[in-house]
Amino acid sequence: MGANSSSICELPENEYLKRLSGAEAVSENDPFWNQLLSFSFTAPTSSAELKLLEEATISICKSLVENNPRTGNLGALIKVFLSRTKELKISAECQNHLFIWQAHNALFIICCLLKVFICQMSEEELQLHFTYEERMPGSYGVECEDLIEELLCCLIQLIVEIPLLDITYSISLEAVTTLLVFLSCQLFHKEILRESIIHKYLMRGRCLPYTSRLVKTLLYNFIRQERSPPPGSHVFQQQTDGGGLLYGFASGVATGLWTVFTLGGVGSKPAPQQEQSSPLANQSLLLLLVLANLTDAPDTPNPYRQAIMSFKNTQGFTAFPSPSPHAFQINFNSLYTALCEQQKSDQATLLLYILLHQNSNVRTYMLARTDMENLVLPILEILYQVEERNSHHVYMALIILLILTEDDGFNRSIHEVILKNITWYSERVLTEISLGSLLILVVIRTIQYNMTRTRDKYLHTNCLAALANMSAQFRSLHQYAAQRIISLFSLLSKKHNKVLEQATQTLRGSLSSDDSPLPDYAQDLNVIEEVIRMMLEIINSCLTNSLHHNPNLVYALLYKRDLFEQFRTHPSFQDIMQNIDLVISFFSSRLEQAGAQLSVERVLEIIKQGAVALPKDRLRKFPELKFKYVEEEQPEEFFIPYVWSLVYNSAVALYWNPQDIQLFTMDSG
């Protein structure tokens, strides 16, 4: 092979790989390692590319699994990597490509091997492979160091301490990916891992002091969105004239490169989406989400979740120290900007949810922003594209809105933000509309989509809860938003009548037929009536608290007044209908007095005048509508499979065989 090797298909016959995986033990001081680690390549950027690599090296990995208990070559490779990393920081500062190049190559091989080991064996068996080493006579009583903990700690140190430069980008990305691979044991268990060797190492011992620095670094990697440097700038560079000490030395230690291969084709231009993306930012975010969702130890809460829950703004007032030992500071403005820009991805939306739900400092900061439209508009676009999004992404976006609408200041301010030409909203041209009215339109559209397609009660409940939270603060509703509120009520009333008619016909038919089981129309009717009741409460809340601010809603009510007749005497709605009936009667009377053939402008003028004249004490007061998001009792059952589905489906994640995955089904992502 040697320097002439350029094809992945030649890897199974590569002499250096065969020696690594063979029956002969290789000392960590053997010159072989310099030869093994002297290769250059363009890093794989997709699961498809990594699948090719895995298929080509499966025989090598199988051989290593069989021989490593006798040779300890995996441990020797890891020790070689650990020795290389001791000089990485100085190498980065001095622009020493050789050290960084070989350390990266060692870590890349470790990561690929580790993935295969984790797929094929339990954590206990994996731990044994890390303890095997060549035994010299008389050394059987000597305990070897815990290489798993040392490697994990080294990877974290590499991530948090090595400056991010073009020449270090690749090794930083590989370190993050290797930590993800270490944690991927979860993928191969049907149940949530609550007792894990890897989790123990990360949450205790030598790794624990790095908790806040790791979380902070991963967040900043996400914030900065650093693109991958041009090919060749981050690893060993061959000079075209063949000169230079670096090239000569590297060629000398490697009597031949074991492989010089380019996945995707030499010099191929990356796809536009690859050019735009940041693999390091993406992998860092995925690792952060995985760490945040590790289950608590029996006696210790997850320190990474504690760090995420407690970090503060670098520009904020920090007179009181945080009770969390893992607290740190980060620039909230930069974080906010990154979150606004990245909401097209599931993982960024999930991070936003976690921060809003669990970090009160972040939530307070975001709710105080005067440019909330930058955050809310991408969330609304996710909901608007409900047909194209997976259900988890839609849930996260909806829950974010529910959390935001718990704040009265938010509910007031969104009606003061005027938007122009919302291009992605296609049902109607919206040349000018408030953010609040747009939010109402999108949430109502989500409800209507759910009624006709998924029929998910949880989705209904959260949509209506968000509208209910906003209802007392509705201001200057756009005429189309007001129409859609009443149109939704019309749709619900028709559905109510249809189910009621079906129930009546079925009951009549059963009297003259056998004792066959009847459909449970009572339950369907109960669910629909609950939703109708909520819609009436939302309308009532707006009329009671801000009637004079919403002439368009009153206009829509009057235009469709016949809809409400059937509910006036219904025992489930009599109380809530009193105010709506009063408003309809009051304004109908004033319109009749004004005469027939009134223009829309004249009707709205009469409504505005009547809103001032209507005695507020005639409207019955009901308890304020307020709904808070409450996380389910066992959120791990939802979030851990969700997070790992994101890792699995990531464009730059390692390839895993679908047949081996047990934690989630392939359509869950």
Side-chain angles (χ1 to χ4, degrees), residues 14-33:
N14 182 280
E15 58 179 298
Y16 298 106
L17 289 178
K18 289 175 77 172
R19 185 178 174 190
L20 172 68
S21 62
E24 177 191 352
V26 183
S27 167
E28 60 194 88
N29 299 314
D30 196 302
F32 160 80
W33 299 109

Side-chain angles (χ1 to χ4, degrees), residues 589-599 602-603 606:
S589 174
R590 294 181 73 91
L591 289 174
E592 288 172 6
Q593 293 173 14
Q597 303 299 320
L598 299 174
S599 66
R602 178 57 182 152
V603 171
I606 293 170

Side-chain angles (χ1 to χ4, degrees), residues 65 77 94 130 134 184 267 282 396 430 440 457 525 564 627:
V65 170
L77 172 60
C94 300
F130 273 76
E134 183 186 11
S184 67
N282 186 69
M396 289 299 102
L430 299 176
I440 292 167
K457 184 179 178 181
L525 203 61
F564 300 89
F627 295 88

Side-chain angles (χ1 to χ4, degrees), residues 89-130:
K89 193 171 184 180
I90 297 174
S91 298
E93 293 170 355
C94 300
Q95 297 285 305
N96 187 333
H97 289 243
L98 181 61
F99 255 90
I100 298 170
W101 171 46
Q102 290 205 341
H104 169 269
N105 289 349
L107 184 55
F108 178 76
I109 297 172
I110 290 169
C111 188
C112 292
L113 294 174
L114 183 62
K115 184 181 73 69
V116 175
F117 274 59
I118 286 175
C119 289
Q120 296 185 5
M121 61 189 67
S122 67
E123 281 190 306
E124 290 76 14
E125 292 173 309
L126 177 67
Q127 192 174 31
L128 286 175
H129 274 276
F130 273 76

Side-chain angles (χ1 to χ4, degrees), residues 158-160 162-164 169 172-173 176 213-227 278-285 287-288 330 338 342:
L158 195 158
I159 293 168
V160 303
I162 303 301
L164 187 58
Y169 188 98
S172 296
L173 174 59
V176 172
R213 292 178 65 190
L214 178 59
V215 171
K216 184 175 182 178
T217 302
L218 295 175
L219 276 172
Y220 269 126
N221 285 348
F222 165 71
I223 289 169
R224 290 170 181 143
Q225 292 290 318
E226 292 283 353
R227 296 185 185 181
S278 170
L280 179 61
N282 186 69
Q283 294 293 76
S284 295
L285 178 53
L287 177 58
L288 184 66
I330 201 167
Q342 300 300 321

Side-chain angles (χ1 to χ4, degrees), residues 356-627:
L356 279 173
H357 178 48
Q358 298 185 359
N359 190 314
S360 59
N361 302 317
V362 172
R363 183 168 61 253
T364 301
Y365 173 84
M366 288 187 176
L367 288 169
R369 295 281 304 202
T370 57
D371 59 348
M372 278 299 291
E373 67 273 16
N374 292 336
L375 186 68
V376 175
L377 280 173
I379 298 299
L380 294 182
E381 194 169 354
I382 293 168
L383 291 175
Y384 188 79
Q385 298 167 346
V386 61
E387 299 96 335
E388 303 166 21
R389 304 286 179 172
N390 68 67
S391 60
H392 293 348
H393 201 182
V394 172
Y395 280 142
M396 289 299 102
L398 187 55
I399 292 169
I400 286 168
L401 286 185
L402 179 55
I403 292 172
L404 292 174
T405 60
E406 291 172 13
D407 183 76
D408 285 340
F410 171 83
N411 295 331
R412 284 191 297 270
S413 65
I414 56 175
H415 293 288
E416 298 168 2
V417 178
I418 304 301
L419 307 169
K420 297 181 183 295
N421 300 317
I422 307 301
T423 55
W424 49 261
Y425 193 94
S426 59
E427 268 90 340
R428 177 168 172 156
V429 177
L430 299 176
T431 54
E432 187 171 287
I433 189 172
S434 71
L435 179 59
S437 289
L438 181 64
L439 195 159
I440 292 167
L441 285 175
V442 173
V443 171
I444 287 176
R445 183 179 183 274
T446 306
I447 294 173
Q448 291 180 322
Y449 173 83
N450 185 51
M451 286 175 64
T452 57
R453 304 284 183 87
T454 56
R455 299 180 181 179
D456 186 329
K457 184 179 178 181
Y458 182 79
L459 197 68
H460 257 357
T461 302
N462 283 285
C463 284
L464 291 168
L467 289 177
N469 285 346
M470 296 169 58
S471 59
Q473 307 293 336
F474 284 172
R475 294 289 188 277
S476 304
L477 288 182
H478 190 279
Q479 60 180 13
Y480 186 51
Q483 289 171 17
R484 298 306 290 164
I485 291 173
I486 304 304
S487 295
L488 175 59
F489 184 81
S490 174
L491 183 65
L492 291 167
S493 63
K494 288 177 182 177
K495 194 171 183 64
H496 177 269
N497 292 340
K498 183 178 179 181
V499 174
L500 194 60
E501 183 180 349
Q502 288 175 336
T504 304
Q505 290 177 352
T506 304
L507 187 61
R508 287 172 180 169
S510 66
L511 296 176
S512 57
S513 64
D514 55 14
D515 296 331
S516 57
L518 299 176
D520 191 2
Y521 288 113
Q523 184 177 357
D524 291 345
L525 203 61
N526 184 55
V527 171
I528 294 171
E529 289 184 353
E530 283 181 9
V531 177
I532 289 175
R533 170 81 188 190
M534 179 73 85
M535 282 302 301
L536 288 172
E537 287 179 341
I538 289 168
I539 295 169
N540 180 72
S541 175
C542 176
L543 297 178
T544 306
N545 293 281
S546 53
L547 173 67
H548 56 293
H549 289 298
N550 293 290
N552 283 325
L553 181 62
V554 176
Y555 183 97
L557 269 175
L558 295 172
Y559 189 75
K560 292 285 188 178
R561 71 190 82 177
D562 294 343
L563 282 175
F564 300 89
E565 285 292 333
Q566 61 177 309
F567 300 107
R568 184 180 296 171
T569 57
H570 195 291
S572 298
F573 311 117
Q574 274 183 320
D575 58 337
I576 205 72
M577 277 298 302
Q578 289 179 23
N579 286 342
I580 297 173
D581 195 35
L582 173 63
V583 169
I584 290 174
S585 300
F586 177 82
F587 285 98
S588 295
S589 174
R590 294 181 73 91
L591 289 174
E592 288 172 6
Q593 293 173 14
Q597 303 299 320
L598 299 174
S599 66
V600 173
E601 291 75 15
R602 178 57 182 152
V603 171
L604 286 172
E605 184 182 342
I606 293 170
I607 290 172
K608 291 175 183 177
Q609 293 170 352
V612 178
L614 177 65
K616 300 297 186 291
D617 56 358
R618 292 180 61 186
L619 295 174
R620 178 182 170 185
K621 288 290 184 181
F622 286 87
E624 184 181 6
L625 291 177
K626 272 299 174 187
F627 295 88

